[in-house]
Amino acid sequence: MDNLIISVGRQIGSGGNEIAKMLAHEFGCKFYDKEILNLAAEKSGFSPKIFERNDENHGLIHSASGFFERLFNPYSNSISDENLFQIQSEVIYKIGQNENCVIMGRCADYILRNNPQLFSVFITADEEERCKEVAKRLESDYETTTPQRHGEQHKTTTSA
């Protein structure tokens, strides 16, 4: 079956989420973002909270702590990031095979890279505009969300 699959990546504050939803509406496709976490939980039988926590905490420190936990405690009940990614990948792959869809992030561009129906876009915006958008979303002022504050790099950790 030839499905339209649009994968949307974006920079934080670029409006990528809104654009992805507009694309889904325009093409009559289902929009997927965090819904993939719930579908992965259903598929695996794990609690959705496990996928949500992993989604919120994905990062070098989180990955390293999980690695060391498994290294020093081989009997740990923790589920590896790799296993959670594999489950989500299977869900994304199945969605891409069965329906027209717009998928926000979640490495869908990589997971579906061999699907000839995949159309990938990456949304970016001017840095100042992105900072203003993040400040608005956080109900903060522009100065506290700028990437460089007092000569130091400042990172914003909320999702777009």
Side-chain angles (χ1 to χ4, degrees):
M1 177 187 265
D2 289 345
N3 297 318
L4 172 64
I5 307 164
I6 303 172
S7 167
V8 180
R10 85 312 198 168
Q11 288 181 309
I12 186 169
S14 66
N17 202 37
E18 293 81 12
I19 292 169
K21 287 178 181 177
M22 286 190 286
L23 287 169
H25 178 75
E26 184 69 27
F27 289 105
C29 298
K30 177 129 183 183
F31 173 76
Y32 288 95
D33 186 6
K34 292 195 181 274
E35 297 83 359
I36 289 175
L37 302 177
N38 291 328
L39 293 171
E42 284 177 26
K43 175 182 174 33
S44 66
F46 297 139
S47 167
K49 291 187 187 305
I50 292 172
F51 288 91
E52 291 166 11
R53 195 173 311 119
N54 182 262
D55 190 53
E56 292 168 1
N57 295 323
H58 71 287
L60 183 59
I61 293 172
H62 175 70
S63 297
S65 67
F67 169 77
F68 286 113
E69 179 183 353
R70 288 186 300 280
L71 181 64
F72 294 113
N73 183 4
Y75 302 105
S76 169
N77 283 335
S78 70
I79 301 161
S80 74
D81 293 345
E82 294 83 11
N83 288 342
L84 296 176
F85 178 76
Q86 181 62 39
I87 295 165
Q88 289 182 64
S89 296
E90 291 169 7
V91 167
I92 290 169
Y93 185 81
K94 184 176 180 183
I95 290 168
Q97 294 296 310
N98 295 320
E99 63 185 287
N100 295 332
C101 58
V102 175
I103 302 174
M104 184 80 243
R106 315 235 169 264
C107 300
D109 58 334
Y110 176 77
I111 295 163
L112 300 171
R113 68 191 178 281
N114 295 324
N115 189 319
Q117 304 310 121
L118 176 66
F119 181 74
S120 291
V121 295
F122 186 81
I123 309 299
T124 186
D126 177 72
E127 184 176 335
E128 184 175 340
E129 293 304 313
R130 290 187 294 116
C131 289
K132 287 178 183 177
E133 178 60 30
V134 170
K136 184 172 82 175
R137 208 175 307 139
L138 295 174
E139 298 177 358
S140 179
D141 63 10
Y142 171 72
E143 294 302 316
T144 61
T145 60
T146 55
Q148 295 189 7
R149 216 172 45 171
H150 310 295
E152 295 180 14
Q153 195 69 13
H154 175 71
K155 294 182 181 178
T156 308
T157 58
T158 59
S159 60

